Amino acid sequence: MQNTFNIPSVRHHSPSSLNDNLNELFRRSQKRHYKALKTLEELFPTAKIIGNAKLTPTDIVCDSRRVGQGSLFFAVNGNRADGHAFIPEAIARGACAVVSDAPFTQRLPATMIEVNSIRSAMAEAARRFWGNPERKLKLTGITGTKGKTSTVEIINALLEERGDQTAISSTLRFKIGATSQDNLLKMT
């Protein structure tokens, strides 16, 4: 299948780069169904917010290279790099706020948000930011030794024939609606 997302090819085929492609695919599909913007205090009702809690971020990112004007940047400590090292770059690119699970040791020229768990906070903030999409989703999981991909494709075809919008994550491909991309790692 051809890459129909206009996403740069995955060079290293690592799980994190594949995850970046999936996040971009999800982000693009959600922009069509975008809800009213939420303020930082709505996104983080229990977090310590240092700065303007009334700001309304335009996007949520954890990769400083994807930060745009008004983005909310999550400084995640990953396997290969610590996101805290990229806070200055994120701010220079226009981040309105930075989220960290480590205490801020100096004042930043952006709103600072301290959370207990960066990954939990990112999941909750994304859920709120995108208007609680899980409330509209019906999820089916298929497990077993043989025939999972075939079963997924058959169920997908039946649901689409009925007029339902579908998404697939299988060893062969990732699909949201009519947009599909090969699964280069052959893992889910």
Side-chain angles (χ1 to χ4, degrees):
M1 279 183 208
Q2 100 185 66
N3 179 348
T4 57
F5 302 125
N6 297 323
I7 297 174
S9 298
V10 179
R11 288 189 203 120
H12 303 292
H13 304 304
S14 67
S16 63
S17 60
L18 183 61
N19 190 39
D20 289 345
N21 282 355
L22 290 175
N23 287 337
E24 180 66 16
L25 176 60
F26 178 75
R27 178 176 283 111
R28 288 180 185 187
S29 72
Q30 288 298 303
K31 287 203 179 194
R32 292 186 300 248
H33 309 290
Y34 191 64
K35 299 290 183 188
L37 294 176
K38 303 280 186 206
T39 65
L40 293 175
E41 63 189 356
E42 291 171 312
L43 295 174
F44 302 96
T46 61
K48 179 180 176 183
I49 301 175
I50 305 162
N52 186 354
K54 302 284 187 200
L55 292 174
T56 54
T58 57
D59 200 5
I60 295 178
V61 296
C62 61
D63 182 339
S64 61
R65 296 167 296 186
R66 295 182 184 255
V67 170
Q69 193 64 37
S71 292
L72 173 60
F73 177 68
F74 283 83
V76 179
N77 189 2
N79 291 332
R80 286 188 252 148
D82 184 352
H84 297 87
F86 300 98
I87 290 173
E89 178 185 348
I91 293 171
R93 289 178 178 260
C96 69
V98 175
V99 184
S100 174
D101 56 4
F104 290 97
T105 57
Q106 61 185 353
R107 183 85 171 115
L108 298 176
T111 298
M112 301 173 287
I113 303 167
E114 291 182 6
V115 296
N116 292 328
S117 166
I118 192 75
R119 286 177 171 80
S120 293
M122 189 164 41
E124 282 299 310
R127 182 181 64 77
R128 289 183 185 107
F129 183 81
W130 294 113
N132 304 300
E134 77 284 359
R135 292 180 183 163
K136 301 176 210 157
L137 294 176
K138 294 178 185 170
L139 181 66
T140 302
I142 300 171
T143 63
T145 305
K146 294 183 186 257
K148 296 179 296 295
T149 300
S150 298
T151 303
V152 164
E153 294 294 339
I154 291 167
I155 291 172
N156 179 68
L158 291 170
L159 291 172
E160 285 183 339
E161 184 67 29
R162 189 172 79 178
D164 293 346
Q165 289 186 335
T166 64
I168 290 177
S169 174
S170 75
T171 54
L172 292 182
R173 67 182 178 138
F174 302 106
K175 177 186 110 35
I176 295 179
T179 309
S180 182
Q181 177 177 336
D182 289 342
N183 180 348
L184 301 175
L185 292 178
K186 305 297 182 206
M187 304 186 329
T188 56

